[in-house]
Amino acid sequence: MGRRIATAALLLFGLNALKGVVALDNGLAITPQMGWNTWNSFGCSLNETVILDAAEKLVSLGFKDLGYEYVVLDDCWSAGRNASGYLVPDPAKFPNGIDGLAEKIHALGLKIGIYSSAGTMTCARYAGSLGYEEKDAALWASWGIDYLKYDNCYNQGQEGTPKLSYDRYNAMGQALNKTGRPILYSLCNWGVDGPWNFASTIANSWRTSGDLLNTWDRDDANCPCSELEGLDCKTPGYKCSILNVINKAVYYPSKAFPGAWNDLDMLQVGNGGLTDDEAVAHMSLWAAFKSPLLMTNVLSNIDPPTLSILQNPAVLAVSQDPVGSSVNRIWRYYVDDVDANGYGEIQLFSGGLAGGDQLVLLLNAGSKDRTMNATLEDIFWEDGPGGTASQVQQSWDVYDLWANRMSNETAAAIINAANSTGSAAPAAPINMTALGGAKHVYSQVPPSDSKALMGTKVGSVQPSGTVKAFVKAHGVAMLRLRQQSQKKDEL
Ligand SMILES: *[C@@H]1O[C@H](CO)[C@@H](O)[C@H](O)[C@H]1NC(C)=O
Ligand SMILES: *[C@@H]1O[C@H](CO)[C@@H](O)[C@H](O)[C@H]1NC(C)=O
Ligand SMILES: *[C@@H]1O[C@H](CO)[C@@H](O)[C@H](O)[C@H]1NC(C)=O
Ligand SMILES: *[C@@H]1O[C@H](CO)[C@@H](O)[C@H](O)[C@H]1NC(C)=O
Ligand SMILES: *[C@@H]1O[C@H](CO)[C@@H](O)[C@H](O)[C@H]1NC(C)=O
Ligand SMILES: *[C@@H]1O[C@H](CO)[C@@H](O)[C@H](O)[C@H]1NC(C)=O
Ligand SMILES: *[C@@H]1O[C@H](CO)[C@@H](O)[C@H](O)[C@H]1NC(C)=O
């Protein structure tokens, strides 16, 4: 057991001291947005064919049913501006225009997102929107666009203070609002100037750090946040690993609330760089931190384990929980079993869910499987430090949210059916449509006997007790605690 790093002072960062802050009032992203984005798999080789194919797969593989609704075009869709200063879609990539594509995506019951940069050029050096905010927003609205991812490249040095960043991003926020069309505004300035402090009134989400690489951990001076780099976890950096992004996001959980989310960057699940346990941990952490969940894998050749990670309703219900409260990190210890990159640590995250339930996430970033322990006193630290929280004196049932992960056989059957007929999934984990739709299902407290939404009850913990869980190396235990019935005290 190594040194305990988290201190009470650090924990205070996580307290919900921000009540009363106003969100951007566009009615969107009341729970973190879910969808699919072109970038990590297609880069600049996007076109109508691959995007429509992904949209169709969102439907036929059952993703739409589970709440994944936005199909987002990233960089490289345009062919510059015309003589009147309006952006023109690349006609080779989009022979039917983006409005034509939008119509087809809407016909599938999905929504469409687009990309630009708050700079003179996008990151891939296409026309940017700085100075063209109103024209661009009006054009996108006229095409039926529902979502904007707004990047930070070629910003002409208009950053370095929160005000400079705020003003530049607010210009687009105002322009989007002026269109009268509700357009989800996903601000992507990589954490520069602390968007968690200035963006919640102008955007629905903001990136907390540099681009997430398809790696579990990785030493990189460009994205510091390890003991070797002096624990500088407040420099946003770029080319960040999963562990690195998490070790930065722990400072801002309380800044997120319904309509305004910390964006830990798009999911790398299914892109090949992670083991199965690492991908499960990645998905669990992103859901627990209420990050937007934008898949980026090629859906037309998804494999069964990937499908079953992205389609665990018990985990998605945590992401979409109506309380909308991120987990806080309670503690972090270094451990001796480091991996090849020199990392070895374990962490406890905890946070409230609807119905008085509590999410407990135990992260094992050591290189050995281990049993991990979390006391109720630690789990409910945010509700009253030092064991003063009333919840510490209750008995709790413990549910393992990954226990009912879909089998690879079921996942393969879904993929085969979508491959051969293009028809709806035959064996989806839960029929959301029959239950009133994903948004409705997630807005309820899940019934204790719902295997899809609660996983499996694996034990219980007595007052002042300790939750124990076996956690694989580079893995997590994701547990939902539910208070036991008080009947025996009521008489
Ligand atoms: C669309 O993009 C895909 C992937 O980059 C490519 O294989 C395909 O040839 C492209 N189709 C058209 C019509 O450009
Ligand atoms: C430029 O594009 C806009 C929007 O599509 C269009 O209304 C306008 O006519 C175009 N102008 C020229 C000169 O092509
Ligand atoms: C524009 O902003 C106003 C004031 O915050 C808000 O009431 C309205 O819903 C917004 N409209 C859109 C389309 O976002
Ligand atoms: C579904 O089709 C894709 C593309 O043809 C292929 O890569 C994949 O292996 C197929 N999956 C199954 C389970 O047959
Ligand atoms: C958890 O507790 C068990 C004893 O119940 C102990 O063997 C194990 O080392 C503990 N794990 C950690 C990570 O402290
Ligand atoms: C599905 O297959 C993957 C990869 O082989 C494996 O790691 C995982 O444990 C399997 N899932 C289940 C539920 O058996
Ligand atoms: C889900 O429920 C809906 C509405 O009851 C029904 O139409 C649909 O066939 C069901 N889907 C599956 C896969 O059973």
Side-chain angles (χ1 to χ4, degrees), residues 53 57 61 299-304 411-420:
D53 182 56
K57 285 288 194 258
L61 290 168
L299 294 176
S300 58
N301 66 14
I302 193 169
D303 57 30
I414 291 174
I415 294 167
N416 278 323
N419 265 5
S420 57

Side-chain angles (χ1 to χ4, degrees), residues 175-434:
L176 292 173
N177 181 278
K178 208 174 156 185
T179 68
R181 183 178 176 84
I183 297 177
L184 193 154
Y185 187 20
S186 159
L187 190 157
C188 174
N189 85 332
W190 326 314
V192 177
D193 295 331
W196 41 86
N197 287 324
F198 70 75
S200 67
T201 54
I202 59 170
N204 295 108
S205 62
W206 52 86
R207 282 272 298 281
T208 50
S209 46
D211 283 7
L212 176 72
L213 285 189
N214 191 8
T215 54
W216 173 250
D217 61 21
R218 175 172 177 272
D219 243 337
D220 190 331
N222 295 316
C223 198
C225 184
S226 79
E227 207 165 27
L228 300 174
E229 293 126 3
L231 279 173
D232 170 15
C233 297
K234 295 206 170 166
T235 298
Y238 57 98
K239 296 187 177 171
C240 304
S241 67
I242 287 170
L243 262 193
N244 189 299
V245 164
I246 287 298
N247 283 334
K248 293 184 155 82
V250 292
Y251 295 101
Y252 324 114
S254 69
K255 306 293 184 169
F257 56 92
W261 306 108
N262 286 309
D263 179 357
L264 278 51
D265 202 5
M266 303 179 290
L267 295 169
Q268 291 282 9
V269 176
N271 290 340
L274 305 172
T275 66
D276 194 71
D277 290 327
E278 290 168 352
V280 166
H282 173 26
M283 186 74 193
S284 304
L285 287 158
W286 263 235
F289 274 81
K290 315 289 168 184
S291 173
L293 299 177
L294 275 290
M295 303 182 285
T296 60
N297 52 316
V298 181
L299 294 176
S300 58
N301 66 14
I302 193 169
D303 57 30
T306 299
L307 185 93
S308 70
I309 291 171
L310 293 166
Q311 292 201 359
N312 182 344
V315 172
L316 297 176
V318 166
S319 157
Q320 303 294 302
D321 181 273
V323 171
S325 170
S326 166
V327 285
N328 288 290
R329 183 165 75 191
I330 305 297
W331 48 246
R332 175 192 192 189
Y333 293 105
Y334 288 120
V335 292
D336 294 332
D337 45 305
V338 296
D339 67 14
N341 286 327
Y343 289 89
E345 56 181 274
I346 59 174
Q347 306 193 21
L348 166 66
F349 303 89
S350 177
L353 295 170
D357 289 2
Q358 190 78 3
L359 181 71
V360 175
L361 194 64
L362 289 156
L363 167 66
N364 177 9
S367 59
K368 291 196 306 219
D369 300 348
R370 53 171 34 84
T371 298
M372 289 180 65
N373 315 298
T375 64
L376 287 182
E377 191 178 317
D378 279 349
I379 290 168
F380 291 104
W381 198 95
E382 294 286 335
D383 298 281
T388 58
S390 62
Q391 294 96 320
V392 175
Q393 297 310 322
Q394 313 292 338
S395 301
W396 298 83
D397 288 331
V398 180
Y399 293 82
D400 177 356
L401 299 184
W402 282 103
N404 291 331
R405 174 178 168 180
M406 188 194 292
S407 71
N408 286 326
E409 291 68 29
T410 302
I414 291 174
I415 294 167
N416 278 323
N419 265 5
S420 57
T421 64
S423 67
I430 181 171
N431 190 331
M432 294 282 188
T433 308

Side-chain angles (χ1 to χ4, degrees), residues 62-80:
F63 284 103
K64 177 192 158 198
D65 196 38
L66 287 163
Y68 293 92
E69 61 176 337
Y70 289 101
V71 179
V72 182
L73 283 59
D74 209 290
D75 206 348
C76 310
W77 59 266
S78 95

Side-chain angles (χ1 to χ4, degrees), residues 6 38 41-42 96 206 261 280-281 399 454:
T38 54
S41 286
F42 293 100
N96 300 298
W206 52 86
W261 306 108
V280 166
Y399 293 82
M454 290 295 287

